[in-house]
Amino acid sequence: MTQGIFNWTRRVLLASGTALTMALTLGAGDAAQAQTPPGVLIVGQIAEPKALDPAAVTAVNDFRILMNVYDGLVRYKSGTLEVEPALAESWDISEDGTTYTFHLREGVKFHDGSDFDAEAVKFNFDRMLDEDHPYHDTGPFPLAFFFSSVEDVTVIDPLTVEFTLSAPFAPFLSNLAYPTGLIVSPAAVEEYGADYGRNPSGTGPFSFAEWESNTHVILNANGDYWDGAPELETVVFRPITDANTRTAEMLAGGIDLMVEVPPVSLSEFEGDDFTVVEQAGPHVWFLILNAKEGPFADKLVRQAANYAVNKTALVENVLEGTAEVAAGPIPPAFAWAYDESLEPYAYDPDKARELLAEAGVEDPELTFYVTEGGSGMLDPVAMGTAIQADLEAVGFDVAIETYEWNTFLGEVNPGLEGKADMAEMAWMTNDPDTLPYLALRSDAWPDKGGFNSGYYSNPEVDELLETARVSTSQEERAAAYKEMQQIVQEDAPWLFVANWKQNAVTSDAVENFALEPSFFLLLKDVVKN
């Protein structure tokens, strides 16, 4: 642990009233060893957060912090993706599925001391959805799509709020439990405006204390939390973008909890000093292909790329068996919606060459965006390099451009047009609707506010996705999703690579930690000895 890290940790812990008991000794090979203080959990994150405004961010890296600062009306029950009460104690749904009435928890306050009530709920959703709202300019709100079916939010009384939907919307409650549905303090938004994302205030188990860019985000326990005070006194989130550095910090004792352990490093955490935690969840790692221009405007060329890449080798060699080969846009974790008959594209270089010849394409040049790290991105540089080699083996000419995670998102999310032919991406989702609806519909092109950065468009897919999200029958939804998966796999707007099993490692001082299928970090009940 460096002297600079020691100094800021000491300064923060003293300021928060926590006794500082950090020792620095020299171990084998002169590696610095550190013992972090009890009651203080230091988390090694994969990147710097973009903002601490839940309505304004999209990355799980950010969500892992936000889920400890805020609550939503509902939340996912521990260990599941099932919805249970949170800030709303109960709710009623009209027979036609278009009106949701929430009965709110009494006596809850935001960290800034202001009251949580129905007006605060209305403020949050109007801020996202109403362009005329006085604080709509504190966005943009890239996942407002989650609530596009909301026509109106009405305050019935201080503890009752009603949502009117334009049509039945099956994922509505699940989306409310997602971080985009977390409730921020209207008073704090009014005070800080566009700077709210650096000055957050929620109702969650931890309150915001400090954000020093590229160094740490610090949260302190909310002793008045409505669901019981946390066990921890302080949580420190440190962005450590380099996976090898993050691993070294974990081994040296500079951090207590590390998320997204590189597969090649898992063996280093065997033994009594560490606990490796794994949890399956809905994850897809893929390449976005630019279907609007360049070589991938031709479906045959997109299919050729899918045949060219040895995804089994990626999963077994680069990812050390911590993932499975992906077959389509919906992960198998959504068992009821997943099409088990879908077979992944086989590794078939000869077939890839045949398709390129049939398309009349010779030595197509590709610009390939690769990220250094990021939420659910696994081992993106090594994976990108392996993919580049496989594509070049069948005749593609691939130039890689590598970016830091937030810079990468700034390049990819606005669309690949005029910049790149393909880009790495990973999504961890809460409902089978989420990823395809936000990233494969024609109306989800970036200029329309979505994440369809490769400009794929198929009216049949659009219709099936709309059918699935308004149906109140899970059987009907499943049928629509399965048909959609067949079409999307054939059209190959993405290069489908992997479905990952998430992991984390903790020191032996950490107790009561578990990973969630949602991929979020829930730290209220964690103990640090």
Side-chain angles (χ1 to χ4, degrees):
M1 176 174 286
T2 67
Q3 189 65 32
I5 294 171
F6 173 82
N7 285 339
W8 69 250
T9 304
R10 181 179 186 278
R11 185 171 66 248
V12 169
L13 296 179
L14 288 175
S16 65
T18 304
L20 178 67
T21 57
M22 179 175 289
L24 296 178
T25 60
L26 290 179
D30 291 335
Q33 302 289 319
Q35 180 182 350
T36 59
V40 178
L41 185 76
I42 302 183
V43 181
Q45 285 272 83
I46 58 175
E48 172 85 343
K50 183 177 181 180
L52 298 180
D53 179 351
V57 296
T58 64
V60 169
N61 182 66
D62 299 13
F63 295 164
R64 289 181 175 128
I65 302 175
L66 299 177
M67 293 300 289
N68 296 285
V69 176
Y70 299 94
D71 298 300
L73 294 175
V74 298
R75 65 188 179 190
Y76 299 125
K77 186 177 180 180
S78 181
T80 76
L81 290 173
E82 298 173 13
V83 170
E84 69 175 9
L87 290 176
E89 292 185 307
S90 64
W91 55 88
D92 306 306
I93 306 173
S94 64
E95 287 189 14
D96 66 358
T98 63
T99 304
Y100 287 70
T101 305
F102 293 91
H103 307 285
L104 306 182
R105 198 172 296 277
E106 188 173 4
V108 177
K109 289 188 177 292
F110 290 101
H111 300 144
D112 58 17
S114 61
D115 291 330
F116 164 75
D117 56 17
E119 290 287 357
V121 175
K122 179 175 173 58
F123 178 99
N124 271 258
F125 289 91
D126 286 355
R127 177 173 78 115
M128 269 195 292
L129 301 172
D130 182 1
E131 293 181 0
D132 295 326
H133 190 271
Y135 293 94
H136 185 73
D137 62 359
T138 57
F141 307 113
L143 295 183
F145 262 126
F146 273 51
F147 304 109
S148 58
S149 64
V150 175
E151 281 194 336
D152 192 38
V153 182
T154 305
V155 173
I156 305 299
D157 61 47
L159 294 178
T160 311
V161 64
E162 183 178 273
F163 286 73
T164 302
L165 311 186
S166 57
F169 178 42
F172 182 60
L173 286 173
S174 179
N175 285 0
L176 285 175
Y178 203 69
T180 312
L182 294 172
I183 304 297
V184 309
S185 163
V189 173
E190 290 166 0
E191 179 177 358
Y192 294 106
D195 293 328
Y196 173 76
R198 302 284 303 202
N199 300 275
S201 178
T203 62
F206 295 91
S207 62
F208 172 74
E210 180 178 287
W211 180 358
E212 186 173 321
S213 294
N214 299 309
T215 303
H216 59 253
V217 171
I218 299 171
L219 310 179
N220 288 330
N222 173 13
D224 296 323
Y225 185 49
W226 61 267
D227 201 20
E231 297 288 339
L232 295 165
E233 297 176 49
T234 300
V235 181
V236 181
F237 292 90
R238 288 183 50 204
I240 308 172
T241 56
D242 180 74
N244 293 327
T245 303
R246 203 160 62 248
T247 299
E249 285 268 20
M250 188 72 211
L251 290 168
I255 56 180
D256 306 305
L257 167 62
M258 173 182 171
V259 294
E260 302 195 25
V261 184
V264 295
S265 302
L266 282 169
S267 61
E268 298 187 57
F269 298 107
E270 295 175 352
D272 295 338
D273 292 338
F274 302 99
T275 300
V276 175
V277 184
E278 293 184 328
Q279 170 70 56
H283 169 277
V284 186
W285 199 105
F286 57 98
L287 300 187
I288 304 168
L289 306 181
N290 185 343
K292 188 175 184 181
E293 60 184 6
F296 290 134
D298 189 327
K299 179 171 75 172
L300 295 177
V301 180
R302 300 196 299 269
Q303 292 175 335
N306 271 277
Y307 283 113
V309 173
N310 189 342
K311 295 171 282 293
T312 300
L314 280 172
V315 164
E316 293 180 354
N317 300 332
V318 179
L319 300 181
E320 302 277 331
T322 59
E324 296 181 349
V325 174
I330 288 181
F334 295 122
W336 63 271
Y338 181 68
D339 187 350
E340 292 185 350
S341 71
L342 211 62
E343 291 290 335
Y345 274 87
Y347 173 52
D348 192 339
D350 290 336
K351 178 71 171 177
R353 294 185 188 97
E354 290 174 11
L355 288 169
L356 289 177
E358 184 180 346
V361 174
E362 187 173 342
D363 300 325
E365 295 182 357
L366 304 176
T367 298
F368 180 18
Y369 281 178
V370 169
T371 179
E372 295 172 353
S375 305
M377 293 305 303
L378 310 184
D379 198 348
V381 174
M383 294 173 77
T385 303
I387 289 168
Q388 177 189 40
D390 283 349
L391 290 173
E392 290 189 335
V394 302
F396 289 97
D397 182 2
V398 184
I400 287 179
E401 294 184 14
T402 306
Y403 297 93
E404 175 274 332
W405 177 235
N406 285 316
T407 304
F408 176 84
L409 293 178
E411 292 288 339
V412 174
N413 286 348
L416 300 182
E417 184 177 8
K419 296 183 292 187
D421 300 287
M422 59 183 186
E424 297 178 337
M425 190 51 65
W427 276 65
M428 294 165 277
T429 63
N430 63 313
D431 189 275
D433 168 82
T434 305
L435 175 55
Y437 194 82
L438 293 179
L440 287 173
R441 281 185 313 126
S442 304
D443 282 342
W445 284 23
D447 62 350
K448 298 175 183 177
F451 293 88
N452 187 347
S453 299
Y455 316 99
Y456 172 64
S457 180
N458 185 315
E460 285 184 89
V461 169
D462 297 343
E463 185 176 346
L464 287 165
L465 289 172
E466 292 293 346
T467 296
R469 67 179 357 216
V470 300
S471 174
T472 56
S473 162
Q474 188 175 90
E475 186 176 342
E476 289 179 2
R477 291 186 74 201
Y481 288 132
K482 290 176 181 180
E483 186 176 350
M484 178 274 296
Q485 289 168 73
Q486 294 282 347
I487 296 169
V488 169
Q489 192 198 49
E490 168 71 16
D491 284 348
W494 299 342
L495 199 158
F496 310 103
V497 179
N499 302 121
W500 173 59
K501 180 185 288 186
Q502 62 173 319
N503 60 37
V505 62
T506 68
S507 74
D508 60 0
V510 177
E511 298 178 2
N512 294 349
F513 173 75
L515 287 169
E516 297 291 328
S518 61
F519 293 90
F520 309 143
L521 288 183
L522 303 181
L523 302 176
K524 184 183 86 71
D525 296 326
V526 171
V527 174
K528 166 71 182 308
N529 298 312

